[in-house]
Amino acid sequence: MEVALTVNGQARKVVLEPRVTLLDALRERLGLTGTKKGCDRGECGACTVLADGERVKSCLTLAVMRQGAEITTVEGLARGEELHPVQEAFIRHDAFQCGMCTPGQIMSAVACIDEGHTGSEAEIREWMSGNLCRCAAYQNIVAAVADAAKEVRR
Ligand code: FES
Ligand code: FES
């Protein structure tokens, strides 16, 4: 069947079987490999993207369930050469090691800030807890989210 999505501001159509996840549709059909496949079963958050502004684990989401949705992946955050404030903060705070979890962390951070869940370090940790980092860069990730929150709010 055909699924129409707006991905990073562009209208895209993909023909796929109903069992295909949004993650596989993005990575394998649309060539957007910035979104990572970690556990493929909803546990790690590496596959987090925004769907109509809300974060979703794209490995647990069938593409057909998001017919007509606006999807934002990590590729859609930068404006040309200019990185998103969250991406800049991750670089500034050295908030990644291997980088596998990073796109998901960044997408989740964008939503976390948008949702207003950045009042304290504990609150950031709680609302980012669906995103695991096997390298344990958590301290730096939390610092980056707190810092970016200040900038985004300005
Ligand atoms: S790949 Fe989706 S949560 Fe791990
Ligand atoms: S930076 Fe390696 S998993 Fe997080």
Side-chain angles (χ1 to χ4, degrees):
M1 63 183 298
E2 188 175 88
V3 178
L5 301 166
T6 303
V7 184
N8 300 331
Q10 280 188 333
R12 307 291 298 261
K13 285 195 173 126
V14 261
V15 176
L16 37 70
E17 290 176 39
R19 66 183 173 84
V20 174
T21 63
L22 180 59
L23 175 59
D24 287 343
L26 291 169
R27 285 182 56 87
E28 286 164 28
R29 307 299 170 87
L30 297 175
L32 292 167
T33 53
T35 306
K36 297 293 182 267
K37 184 183 279 195
C39 63
D40 207 19
R41 56 183 193 189
E43 290 171 1
C44 73
C47 64
T48 305
V49 300
L50 305 184
D52 293 328
E54 297 196 334
R55 41 185 157 167
V56 298
K57 291 185 171 175
S58 60
C59 70
L60 288 188
T61 308
L62 297 177
V64 293
M65 290 160 63
R66 292 294 172 170
Q67 185 68 266
E70 288 215 16
I71 307 294
T72 307
T73 70
V74 72
E75 289 95 340
L77 290 184
R79 295 279 162 265
E81 292 292 296
E82 194 187 331
L83 292 179
H84 186 282
V86 171
Q87 292 173 306
E88 284 185 343
F90 266 63
I91 294 171
R92 220 166 31 243
H93 289 273
D94 218 0
F96 48 88
Q97 291 180 35
C98 76
M100 177 69 187
C101 70
T102 309
Q105 301 278 7
I106 287 175
M107 298 316 291
S108 209
V110 169
C112 181
I113 293 168
D114 214 41
E115 294 158 10
H117 294 308
T118 54
S120 65
E121 186 172 303
E123 191 180 5
I124 294 171
R125 282 183 188 275
E126 173 67 20
W127 287 88
M128 292 291 294
S129 64
N131 291 77
L132 305 183
C133 173
R134 66 184 172 184
C135 314
Y138 294 115
Q139 196 58 44
N140 301 12
I141 292 169
V142 171
V145 176
D147 197 10
K150 282 187 229 142
E151 264 182 57
V152 171
R153 294 259 165 70
R154 241 195 260 152

